[in-house]
Amino acid sequence: MKHKDLYNSSGSNKNGAAAGSGANLYASAVLQWNFMQFGRIKKNIEVADAAIQLSKADQSQEAFKLQSTATRYYFAALQSAALLTILKSDAQRLADLLDLLKMQSDAGLRPSADTLLIKSAFLQAKNRINDQEASLETSLLQLASLTGEDADNISIDTSLYHRFNSDENFTQNSLQNHPYLNYLNAAVDYSNAQLEAVKKEVYPSIGLLAGTGIRGSGIDAAGNVNKNLSAPWNNNVGSYLIGVGVTWNLSSLYQNKTKQKIAGHEIASAKANYAASQLQLNTLYASALASWKQQCQKLKDAQIAFKSSQEAYDLYTVRYESGLINLIELLQLQKSLQDAESNYVNAIASYWNELIDLSEAIGKPSLLLNAIKP
């Protein structure tokens, strides 16, 4: 009986559970909203936009470089194909001459030594054809490795090689839209955006702070204890807090000045790089234009020399058939014609290469299309 009294005086309920053994609940939530950033978020967005434009400009200039490289490979293949055509024409002339000599030798009109001599020249011409075919295959493989296509599927239009227009007029105004200058200009804009974002870092952040909390337990107002998990939700007390907060990192003021100086130097460096590159492109353009004009005159001279050699060879072939000159003289004229043809093809190659240099200086790949006669 005494033990029971002591037990009841310890604060048990009717079910015999000890007081204070009920479940307790503590829950809280805090929300902070920075409604005044002094333009920091806007400046960070501008930095991100400038970075996107810089990436696009970089992609454009890389595409321009790739297009220029592919153009050089394509015209190198055109040159190889044109030289191959010349060698085949030369071999065909020797083959026709060999057939003529065989008939005249069988008829006793020509010595057999002439037949052997022209046959040797014909075999040498065939060897040159084999070497040039290997050179053309190499050019096609280089072009295929750049474009990702199969070399056998690449078609070469040799007519383009001779469809040039040397009367094209060029202006220097298009240099302002050069892909490389656009990239450098985007780099200047990016540096300016970074500087403006750094200037905003010194300002504080002003925000609205709100919080709420719930405290509950398994003991009700009458002092009864309930051990169920849902009991605290039935016996709880709530509270809330609303305030305005200011956050200002004063220790970063000196560091921000250093950041601004660094950003200012980056802007100056980007602007100086733009100005130097613009001057370099202007010089490159003037040099490429002068070289191209000079090459146009060389091309005209080579074309005249080729036509003259072709006419001379045709005339001396008739004289050889009439017995007025010997075979050695005709072969020398044939070699002169071959050299004139090769010089003409190489002059065309130099013309296109100079034009490619000019298009790279201006930043217009379409310059080549404008120079091709329709």
Side-chain angles (χ1 to χ4, degrees):
M1 188 68 178
K2 182 177 180 180
H3 176 71
K4 183 177 181 181
D5 292 338
L6 290 174
Y7 181 78
N8 289 336
S9 63
S10 63
S12 62
N13 59 8
K14 297 180 181 180
N15 297 325
S21 61
N24 296 324
L25 170 67
Y26 299 96
S28 63
V30 178
L31 175 64
Q32 184 176 0
W33 175 47
N34 293 325
F35 61 89
M36 185 174 292
Q37 294 284 339
F38 294 94
R40 277 197 297 270
I41 296 178
K42 180 181 178 181
K43 293 301 178 182
N44 290 334
I45 293 176
E46 291 177 357
V47 171
D49 291 338
I52 293 174
Q53 296 302 321
L54 180 62
S55 178
K56 289 181 178 179
D58 187 25
Q59 183 180 8
S60 297
Q61 74 153 340
E62 291 299 327
F64 173 69
K65 291 179 182 178
L66 184 62
Q67 190 172 9
S68 296
T69 303
T71 302
R72 289 189 182 275
Y73 283 167
Y74 183 76
F75 276 93
L78 284 178
Q79 181 184 5
S80 296
L83 289 173
L84 181 61
T85 302
I86 288 176
L87 293 177
K88 287 182 177 180
S89 298
D90 180 51
Q92 185 61 45
R93 285 194 296 266
L94 292 174
D96 295 340
L97 190 58
L98 180 60
D99 293 338
L100 176 63
L101 287 177
K102 283 182 178 180
M103 290 187 296
Q104 291 181 348
S105 178
D106 294 340
L109 301 177
R110 294 284 182 181
S112 59
D114 285 358
T115 304
L116 295 176
L117 185 61
I118 199 68
K119 185 176 182 181
S120 175
F122 173 70
L123 294 177
Q124 292 178 12
K126 290 184 65 176
N127 289 332
R128 288 192 293 269
I129 290 176
N130 294 332
D131 294 337
Q132 191 59 40
E133 287 178 344
S135 178
L136 176 58
E137 185 178 358
T138 301
S139 299
L140 292 176
L141 288 175
Q142 288 178 339
L143 183 60
S145 64
L146 186 65
T147 59
E149 298 181 8
D150 190 1
D152 296 333
N153 296 331
I154 298 177
S155 60
I156 299 296
D157 186 5
T158 54
S159 63
L160 288 176
Y161 195 70
H162 301 278
R163 288 162 51 188
F164 47 84
N165 183 11
S166 59
D167 298 328
E168 186 72 22
N169 294 322
F170 306 104
T171 60
Q172 203 167 353
N173 297 330
S174 58
L175 282 175
Q176 302 299 328
N177 295 323
H178 196 283
Y180 185 57
L181 291 181
N182 290 338
Y183 168 74
L184 295 179
N185 189 43
V188 173
D189 294 339
Y190 177 69
S191 298
N192 285 326
Q194 282 187 317
L195 177 59
E196 295 300 322
V198 169
K199 289 180 179 180
K200 294 295 183 179
E201 291 180 358
V202 298
Y203 293 100
S205 297
I206 300 177
L208 181 63
L209 182 67
T212 182
I214 300 176
R215 184 181 70 242
S217 68
I219 303 175
D220 57 14
N224 297 321
V225 177
N226 190 340
K227 293 184 178 181
N228 294 332
L229 294 177
S230 62
W233 300 99
N234 299 325
N235 305 296
N236 57 71
V237 178
S239 60
Y240 63 90
L241 172 67
I242 300 176
V244 177
V246 178
T247 304
W248 197 354
N249 189 0
L250 298 177
S251 62
S252 64
L253 294 179
Y254 177 77
Q255 295 178 355
N256 187 266
K257 291 182 178 180
T258 304
K259 289 182 179 180
Q260 290 187 29
K261 289 182 179 179
I262 294 174
H265 289 313
E266 290 179 351
I267 293 175
S269 177
K271 289 182 177 180
N273 193 15
Y274 179 87
S277 298
Q278 188 177 31
L279 179 60
Q280 184 179 5
L281 284 175
N282 287 333
T283 304
L284 184 62
Y285 166 78
S287 176
L289 183 59
S291 299
W292 177 77
K293 289 182 178 180
Q294 188 178 23
Q295 187 58 39
C296 288
Q297 185 59 44
K298 291 181 179 180
L299 178 57
K300 291 179 181 179
D301 296 339
Q303 188 176 17
I304 294 173
F306 164 62
K307 291 182 178 179
S308 299
S309 297
Q310 192 173 33
E311 292 175 358
Y313 178 79
D314 293 338
L315 292 174
Y316 277 91
T317 301
V318 176
R319 296 188 64 182
Y320 172 75
E321 292 175 354
S322 302
L324 299 178
I325 62 173
N326 58 34
L327 181 60
I328 299 298
E329 292 176 318
L330 182 62
L331 289 178
Q332 289 176 346
L333 290 171
Q334 194 271 342
K335 181 64 169 58
S336 177
L337 174 59
Q338 182 184 352
D339 293 340
E341 287 177 325
S342 299
N343 292 334
Y344 177 56
V345 171
N346 291 330
I348 298 176
S350 298
Y351 166 87
W352 287 117
N353 288 329
E354 294 291 348
L355 195 58
I356 293 173
D357 291 340
L358 189 59
S359 69
E360 290 178 349
I362 296 180
K364 291 178 60 178
S366 60
L367 192 66
L368 295 172
L369 299 178
N370 297 333
I372 297 175
K373 288 184 178 181

